[in-house]
Amino acid sequence: DAGVIQSPRHEVTEMGQEVTLRCKPISGHDYLFWYRQTMMRGLELLIYFNNNVPIDDSGMPEDRFSAKMPNASFSTLKIQPSEPRDSAVYFCASSLARGKLFFGSGTQLSVL
Amino acid sequence: DAKTTQPTSMDCAEGRAANLPCNHSTISGNEYVYWYRQIHSQGPQYIIHGLKNNETNEMASLIITEDRKSSTLILPHATLRDTAVYYCIASYTGTASKLTFGTGTRLQVTL
């Protein structure tokens, strides 16, 4: 298995633009997580899905952020409009077994 | 999730055992102890987890005290590639896997 695949690896955009981050979880995993990592706040859980259904989105910063999982093999995290403070590394992870998450390589987002 | 406390940083000589401590004095009976590590610019990587018994796998050993208030992750023969931030997490996951990462311990393995 190729592991969790995220795209793009790097994204540079201007303030106000829409940003879409993509994730393909490991086949067969029924949990999918979106985390954000910054120097100031560390790793933060934004939202997670179980069987494509959002379970807990309490970590989503504000209405500018939205996440979808239209099927078991694909998820998106969208930021609209983007702001400089959204600059961070965004990780997607998937899981089957209790507590054992597999993380992707992340998307480095820079909002200018 | 129970709060965990870890040293900010540690050094270890290559080839020696690295013993990374974690305090989780408020852990409840149904909370597991998980260890992850994050090598620079990569996503976190699962290492090991346990409930109350000691555990060992190909990467590391996990020693949990009898009262479960603390644990130690042991890398038996540290190499330069083990330089990373190590996270200890105490969490009840049930059938879910919601983990909250703290600041971790930055382990520097040196020649």
Side-chain angles (χ1 to χ4, degrees), chain B residues 21 26 40 67 70 73 80 83 85 89 95 98 107:
Chain B
T26 61
H40 181 62
D67 63 8
S70 66
L73 179 75
L80 297 177
T83 293
V85 177
I89 304 164
T95 57
K98 180 178 175 179
L107 176 68

Side-chain angles (χ1 to χ4, degrees), chain B residues 48-98:
Chain B
I48 199 167
H49 76 281
L51 185 61
K52 47 186 171 182
N53 297 323
N54 297 338
E55 303 287 344
T56 295
N57 62 21
E58 65 280 3
M59 290 182 69
S61 295
L62 174 60
I63 308 298
I64 303 174
T65 58
E66 194 168 340
D67 63 8
R68 303 210 325 122
K69 292 185 176 182
S70 66
S71 61
T72 301
L73 179 75
I74 301 172
L75 308 178
H77 305 287
T79 71
L80 297 177
R81 288 175 295 180
D82 293 320
T83 293
V85 177
Y86 287 77
Y87 298 98
C88 169
I89 304 164
S91 178
Y92 168 74
T93 56
T95 57
S97 304
K98 180 178 175 179

Side-chain angles (χ1 to χ4, degrees), chain B residues 26-39:
Chain B
T26 61
I27 196 170
S28 61
N30 57 6
E31 286 185 305
Y32 285 73
V33 179
Y34 295 87
W35 283 84
Y36 280 74
R37 73 180 182 183
Q38 187 173 22
I39 296 170

Side-chain angles (χ1 to χ4, degrees), chain A residues 31 35 37 56 95 98-99 101, chain B residues 36 38 93-95 98-99:
Chain A
Y31 285 89
Y35 282 84
Q37 186 171 36
D56 184 348
S95 166
R98 178 186 291 128
L101 275 63
Chain B
Y36 280 74
Q38 187 173 22
T93 56
T95 57
K98 180 178 175 179
L99 299 178

Side-chain angles (χ1 to χ4, degrees), chain A residues 15-71:
Chain A
M15 183 174 62
Q17 296 297 307
E18 177 180 294
V19 175
T20 300
L21 311 181
R22 297 172 175 78
C23 176
K24 176 179 168 55
I26 293 173
S27 176
H29 283 190
D30 53 359
Y31 285 89
L32 184 137
F33 305 81
W34 283 99
Y35 282 84
R36 176 174 70 175
Q37 186 171 36
T38 62
M39 288 292 292
M40 291 294 294
R41 301 174 67 90
L43 264 166
E44 303 173 279
L45 176 64
L46 300 178
I47 185 172
Y48 78 93
F49 297 81
N50 178 221
N51 292 321
N52 313 339
V53 176
I55 302 300
D56 184 348
D57 65 354
S58 59
M60 296 286 262
E62 50 198 89
D63 292 345
R64 297 185 297 107
F65 285 69
S66 62
K68 293 183 179 179
M69 192 165 185
N71 57 61

